[in-house]
Amino acid sequence: MGGFAPWGLFPLPVFSLALLFWLWHQTKTAAQAAALGLAFGLGLFGAGIGWIYIALNQFGEMPPALAFLATLLFVSFYALFPAGVGWLQAKLRLPYWLKNALLLPIFWVAAELLRGYLFGGFPWLVLGYSQVPLSPLAGYAPIFGVYGVSLALAMCAGLVLEWRKLRAFLPLLALILVGAGLQKITWTQPLGALTRVSLLQGNVAQDQKFADGQLDLSLNRYQALIEQSTAQLIVLPETALPILRNELPSDYREKVSQYARNNHADVLIGGFEQEAGKIYNTMYSLGISPNQAYRKNHLVPFGEFIPLRSVFGWLITDFLNIPMSDQSSGGTEQALLQLAGQKIALNICFEDGFGEEIIRSLPQATLLLNTSNDAWYGESSAAIQHNQISQMRALETGRMLLRATNTGVTSVIDRDGKMMQQLAEHSVGILTADIQGYVGTTPYIRWGNNGIFALLLILFGLVFALRARKLKT
């Protein structure tokens, strides 16, 4: 966990994965290797996403024992992925160096990819995120995305085991130097003048947000923050106003609209919309530009919609108290928001965990914007981990990425993935910055995850070509 935010000790995942690889070689059976992988996964996901318990128990009002069991099952399910890698690698007989340098990294990244797609995907703690933004391996992000960074990391881990041998030391050195060299490439170019943006952080506690009689707290706090902002674009967090758009008091809407027009600005508001009986998690604009909206497309299972309702519906109705937990997807074919001179690719909360979905709006978009509410996870590491994921999206696309969040991390991320500004977590504040739009195309924008899929297939073929050659000799 030391490589992930908030610690950011990016060499640690290389050595911890190298240790796992070495231990796998010491096992005598596939079952032992699977058990070892399971233990590694339980440690990684237990420490890394144990904050799920806070959302279920503290804010979802699930009984402690049931919330603990649900968290344990969730963690255990994702621990099955490294367990599967351990079992599979034990079944294949290969020379020690070939398994370390290629086969194990291929299997590891293939498991991460599967985790990122299966049942809608949960790409949290993909090892590549641990390298953002300072590691030289982060240079691979604009080409192969986060999974390409994971592959480089896993290959380094395998090569570390034999670093004293020339056949391992030279590729290890090359991976690091090439990654560092790629960081020097400027993939995108500035477009137009700077745009002043204000990102609002209201710090409304999750247990107050939907409570009876507490709506005015959100309305008044965010109105006060809006009226302290003089930027061209003012952005509220996800569901900052926890009310249906058509139920927003007309005088409130008019005050916000008038303030924005008087200041030649646009305000993006997080709330909900209802259409044809369906509920949408929405960001909508008021101000000098024509009114526009974006509806969240990639929803969180159980938190925002109920998968297999006939099987799991009882869990939501009987044990969880999550408001607006049965939402609909806004769909993939949504127009860019054109506000304050920028073409904005907006994504809401969990959506920025999926790089291949973010690039749907590119290269047309000049700016990335994420709005979130990580108050569900209290004072855990969830919010700073989420911010690190956003840093990877900036690196992959060569675009600045702005984050407006309820309790943090509200931040401005440069196109190289580095933090430019941020607000203190769990505080009320306004982050104002002059941001630059960018145009251009990184290789990852062109081919998305198809690039890493192709690379894994090529490397897998190379493994068996080298194995066949070894057998002949």
Side-chain angles (χ1 to χ4, degrees), residues 75 80 91 96 123 127 130 161 205 281 293-294 337 354 382 406 456:
V75 167
L80 292 175
K91 289 293 185 178
Y96 183 79
L127 286 186
S130 69
L161 295 178
N281 182 342
Y294 171 79
L337 302 186
F354 302 88
N406 177 22
L456 290 178

Side-chain angles (χ1 to χ4, degrees), residues 1-10 12 47 381 384-385 388:
M1 279 300 300
F4 294 98
W7 299 282
L9 303 174
F10 62 81
L12 284 185
S381 60
I384 192 67
Q385 290 174 4
Q388 191 175 42

Side-chain angles (χ1 to χ4, degrees), residues 66 306 308-320:
L66 189 57
I306 306 171
L308 301 174
R309 175 182 285 274
S310 61
V311 177
F312 296 113
W314 63 272
L315 181 65
I316 300 295
T317 56
D318 296 344
F319 291 103
L320 267 178

Side-chain angles (χ1 to χ4, degrees), residues 173-239:
L173 184 63
L175 277 170
I176 295 170
L177 292 180
V178 169
L182 289 171
Q183 289 180 315
K184 306 297 183 183
I185 297 177
T186 301
W187 299 100
T188 56
Q189 302 78 43
L191 176 70
L194 298 178
T195 299
R196 175 151 289 194
V197 177
S198 286
L199 309 172
L200 310 188
Q201 182 172 291
N203 196 37
V204 177
Q206 191 60 37
D207 54 3
Q208 292 181 316
K209 187 170 182 176
F210 290 96
D212 292 340
Q214 294 296 315
L215 177 61
D216 285 347
L217 170 67
S218 295
L219 293 176
N220 294 338
R221 183 169 297 179
Y222 278 107
Q223 182 178 351
L225 291 173
I226 289 169
E227 292 177 354
Q228 295 173 47
S229 305
T230 57
Q232 298 166 260
L233 178 62
I234 302 168
V235 186
L236 279 63
E238 173 193 20
T239 64

Side-chain angles (χ1 to χ4, degrees), residues 4 45 49 74 78 111-129 146-147 150 298 350-357 385 389 393 449:
F4 294 98
F45 294 109
I49 58 175
F74 187 77
Y78 286 104
E112 288 190 333
L113 277 161
L114 180 61
R115 179 160 63 85
Y117 284 92
L118 192 65
F119 305 130
F122 186 75
W124 222 271
L125 298 184
V126 168
L127 286 186
Y129 289 120
V146 65
Y147 297 107
S150 275
H298 198 135
F350 184 61
E351 290 186 305
D352 74 342
F354 302 88
E356 72 279 8
E357 296 181 11
Q385 290 174 4
I389 288 172
R393 301 290 88 85
N449 286 346

